[in-house]
Structures are given as structure tokens and as C-alpha cells.
């Protein structure tokens, strides 16, 4: 169903629109995780659209599916690659498996960008403070809580990495996240009522003027 949803919405017209934005100097990066090499892969969708080939549309769709493929909940996306004349298939899943939020690949320096002043905006679709909750005494529940804790702390660490990079490159930093006042809990990752309420919360925060944080907590 996810693949069908992506195919219905990501059309050749979308590729053409991405190409136009690339020519304007804008960049859309999508991160996936290559499980075979256990590393983050950054895909420059705007550049791919600009220098498009016959297989660009299909590859962009696969990347978008992979970027949402939560391991254990959704199947991975298999992407064909060629190395030294040999063909392989890489297994790609949600980029959050290796990094929760990113700015740019490590080899790209903000100081190399042609802007006198830079402001980095990070919108973190998560809470920074997790309220305590009793974990059921079962192996599955304990493992799930441990993984959730790992993901949460990894996301906080990513924010500190971006903050350190902003300070190094003399850039201003603005961070937004789900506030503590939003107390609704979802039954699972795709609870429609929870997602709708969270979207409305974000809309109100943007409309009313959100007090951006200038550094991680």
C-alpha cells in the first residue's frame, strides 16, 4: 500500500518540479540506511531530477519508500547498484535507523556555501522529554522500550551534533519540537487521530509564533 501511495503521488510532473528547484539552487536530501553496510546514505533528489535518466522516477519512488520503511514494520526497499561492472542489490530502510535528524553530509561545509549569514532550522517531529511509563514485564515489551529509548537518545545526540556544527561554522540555530503541552498519546506509529492532532498542533505553533530554541536542552 505504501508503494502504491507513493506511485500515485510521485509522478513525472513531480520530477520536473524538483528539476526546476534544483536549477534555482535548492536541494532536497533524503536519508536512508543501507543495512548491508550499516551506514546512512544521502540521496540528492533535486540533482537526480535535474540530470534525470530513464530510471530516475522509479529510483526516486524506491528511495521515498525506503526512507519510510521502519525495520520490522515495513519491508525494505531493494535498490540495484553496479560496482566495478558487477550488479548488486542493496537493502535500504528508514534513515532513522542510523540518524534521526541530519543537516548535510559530513564532507559538506557550511562555510563553503555562498551566504554571509546562515540560520539552521531543525523541526524535530518528536518530544525532547519523554514522561516515565511503566514497562510491562515481558521480553517483547522490554525489548521495544529499549529500542525506543535508543532511538530517542540518538535523536537528542543528533541535535547536539548539528549544534556543534552550527557553532563551528558561525551559523545561527533554531530548533522546534513537540512541546510538553501536547499530551495526546498514539496507539501506534500510524494512529490517524494522533497524527491529525499533531499536525494541528504544529499548524497552531507556526501560526502563533513558536519560540524557537537556540540550542539543544
Amino acid at each position: 500500500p505504501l508503494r502504491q501511495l507513493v506511485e500515485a503521488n510521485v509522478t513525472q510532473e513531480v520530477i520536473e518540479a524538483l528539476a526546476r528547484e534544483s536549477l534555482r539552487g535548492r536541494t532536497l536530501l533524503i536519508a536512508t540506511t543501507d543495512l548491508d553496510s550499516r551506514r546512512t546514505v544521502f540521496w540528492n533528489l533535486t540533482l537526480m531530477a535535474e540530470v534525470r535518466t530513464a530510471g530516475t522516477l522509479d529510483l526516486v519512488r524506491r528511495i521515498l519508500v525506503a526512507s519510510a520503511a521502519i525495520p520490522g514494520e515495513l519491508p525494505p526497499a531493494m535498490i540495484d547498484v553496479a560496482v566495478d561492472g558487477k550488479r548488486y542489490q542493496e537493502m535500504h530502510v528508514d534513515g532513522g535507523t542510523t540518524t534521526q535528524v541530519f543537516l548535510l553530509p559530513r564532507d559538506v561545509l557550511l562555510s563553503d556555501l555562498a551566504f554571509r549569514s546562515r540560520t539552521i532550522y531543525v523541526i524535530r517531529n518528536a518530544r525532547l522529554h519523554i514522561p516515565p511509563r511503566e514497562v510491562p514485564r515481558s521480553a517483547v515489551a522490554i525489548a521495544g522500550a529499549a529500542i525506543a529509548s535508543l532511538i530517542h537518545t540518538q535523536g537528542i545526540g543528533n541535535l547536539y551534533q548539528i549544534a556543534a556544527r552550527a557553532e563551528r561554522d558561525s551559523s545561527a540555530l533554531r530548533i522546534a519540537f513537540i512541546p510538553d503541552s501536547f499530551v495526546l498519546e498514539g496507539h501506534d506509529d500510524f494512529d490517524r487521530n494522533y497524527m491529525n492532532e499533531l499536525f494541528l498542533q504544529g499548524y497552531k505553533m507556526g501560526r502563533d509564533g513558536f519560540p524557537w530554541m537556540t540550542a539543544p536542552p
Side-chain angles (χ1 to χ4, degrees):
L2 175 60
R3 186 173 294 110
Q4 293 172 357
L5 182 66
V6 170
E7 290 175 355
N9 288 275
V10 181
T11 62
Q12 188 61 40
E13 287 75 17
V14 173
I15 300 298
E16 299 295 336
L18 286 172
R20 289 193 297 270
E21 295 305 314
S22 181
L23 293 172
R24 293 176 56 194
R26 303 183 74 184
T27 300
L28 174 61
L29 295 176
I30 299 290
T32 65
T33 296
D34 177 0
L35 279 185
D36 296 318
S37 63
R38 301 183 185 182
R39 65 187 180 93
T40 306
V41 178
F42 300 100
W43 304 85
N44 188 334
L45 264 60
T46 35
L47 185 59
M48 291 168 59
E50 183 183 344
V51 296
R52 56 193 173 280
T53 63
T56 296
L57 177 59
D58 178 66
L59 180 56
V60 168
R61 288 170 170 173
R62 287 178 179 269
I63 292 168
L64 292 173
V65 170
S67 70
I70 302 172
E73 292 193 22
L74 295 173
M78 305 304 296
I79 297 180
D80 297 323
V81 298
V83 180
D84 297 330
K86 296 182 179 180
R87 301 190 65 82
Y88 301 90
Q89 273 197 329
E90 293 179 346
M91 180 182 293
H92 286 259
V93 297
D94 187 350
T97 307
T98 47
T99 181
Q100 291 296 304
V101 59
F102 69 94
L103 177 60
L104 288 168
R106 293 189 185 94
D107 57 348
V108 179
L109 300 177
L110 288 173
S111 54
D112 291 340
L113 302 179
F115 301 105
R116 292 185 178 180
S117 62
R118 294 173 295 269
T119 301
I120 300 167
Y121 291 90
V122 180
I123 301 177
R124 173 85 173 118
N125 184 26
R127 293 178 170 87
L128 297 191
H129 304 284
I130 302 297
R133 179 188 302 168
E134 184 176 7
V135 178
R137 272 51 173 172
S138 71
V140 173
I142 292 171
I147 293 173
S149 176
L150 177 64
I151 292 173
H152 174 71
T153 52
Q154 179 193 51
I156 298 296
N158 293 153
L159 288 180
Y160 276 95
Q161 289 175 330
I162 292 176
R165 191 168 183 175
E167 182 176 4
R168 182 197 66 182
D169 294 342
S170 302
S171 300
L173 181 62
R174 303 289 184 269
I175 301 174
F177 49 89
I178 300 177
D180 293 340
S181 58
F182 185 78
V183 296
L184 184 66
E185 295 287 345
H187 298 297
D188 55 50
D189 292 334
F190 303 102
D191 185 321
R192 178 169 295 184
N193 180 60
Y194 172 80
M195 293 167 67
N196 287 341
E197 290 297 324
L198 182 58
F199 177 87
L200 183 60
Q201 174 71 35
Y203 175 82
K204 291 177 179 178
M205 290 164 59
R207 180 196 62 191
D208 299 338
F210 179 70
W212 295 86
M213 287 186 67
T214 58

